Structure formats: structure tokens, C-alpha cells
Amino acid sequence: QVQLVESGGGSVQAGGSLRLSCAVSGYNYGSYCMGWFRQAPGKQREAVAAFDSTGSLSYADSVNGRFAVSRDNFKTTLYLQMNSLKPEDTAMYYCAAAAPGLWIGSGWSRTELYAYWGQGTQVTVSS
């Protein structure tokens, strides 16, 4: 039973920073991939960044250089450090995990590959 709980969202002015956290439990069964996604009103859910099955991180072009993903040594918490925030970053941010053992490579950004999702945390960036 996998549970993902996001926290750290809030309101910030453009240029500011936030760090989101995703507490992970029940995900200790072999290899897996985790990542961050976001969804703005009227838009499709899109990938922000994720670990693939090799342990490499990939970032969406829209956030590359501004956002950074990390996780603790025990893989119990996934972080999303967001710097230089822009109004277009405003969205509900979700933590996601793929099924244990599922290989994810170049398709890391496909939402359908992730079986487990958190409830989301709202990020609002004002100009």
C-alpha cells in the first residue's frame, strides 16, 4: 500500500522560492521511479521532473535550471526545490510513483506510467 503526501505549497511572488516535500510510505518493493507533475486550471497534467529507472533525473524544459528534485538517503521523502518562480508555474503539484519494478526510461513524462499519486499541493505565483 503506497501512500504519497505532498506539502510545502503556498503563495509566493514571482522570483521567489518554495520547496515541496512528498512523504513516501509503503513503497519498498524493488525498483521504482518517482517524480513531480503539475496541473493548472484548464490544462493537462504535465511532468515537471522525475527519476528514471537508472536513477537519472529529467526535467521539463519549462523548469530546467530553476527546479531541482532530490530525495533523502532512505528514499522516504522526495523534494522539489523551486527557484525563480514564474506566474506560469502556478498549478497543483503532485508527487507520483510508478509501480515497483516498472522500467521507465525515455517515457518518464507520461502520466499513465505512474500508478500512485498524492493529493496535490497548490502553488500560486503572483506577478
Side-chain angles (χ1 to χ4, degrees):
Q1 184 177 6
V2 177
Q3 291 186 330
L4 308 173
V5 180
E6 303 96 333
S7 62
S11 298
V12 64
Q13 292 184 345
S17 298
L18 286 172
R19 188 170 81 156
L20 308 184
S21 297
C22 173
V24 182
S25 63
Y27 209 56
N28 306 114
Y29 305 99
S31 62
Y32 62 92
C33 298
M34 295 187 65
W36 288 95
F37 294 75
R38 67 186 183 186
Q39 187 168 21
K43 296 184 178 180
Q44 294 183 326
R45 188 168 298 185
E46 64 177 0
V48 174
F51 287 97
D52 65 21
S53 293
T54 71
S56 297
L57 271 170
S58 295
Y59 294 90
D61 290 342
S62 60
V63 306
N64 196 22
R66 299 187 297 117
F67 290 10
V69 171
S70 62
R71 58 187 176 185
D72 64 20
N73 292 333
F74 298 99
K75 300 181 180 179
T76 56
T77 307
L78 187 73
Y79 302 97
L80 179 64
Q81 179 67 47
M82 304 184 294
N83 299 320
S84 302
L85 283 163
K86 304 175 181 179
E88 51 262 45
D89 295 319
T90 295
M92 185 73 76
Y93 283 71
Y94 298 90
C95 179
L102 178 65
W103 181 268
I104 293 180
S106 60
W108 65 271
S109 64
R110 297 174 60 188
T111 59
E112 62 267 31
L113 298 180
Y114 296 83
Y116 307 102
W117 296 82
Q119 82 287 351
T121 185
Q122 179 68 39
V123 172
T124 302
V125 184
S126 60
S127 60

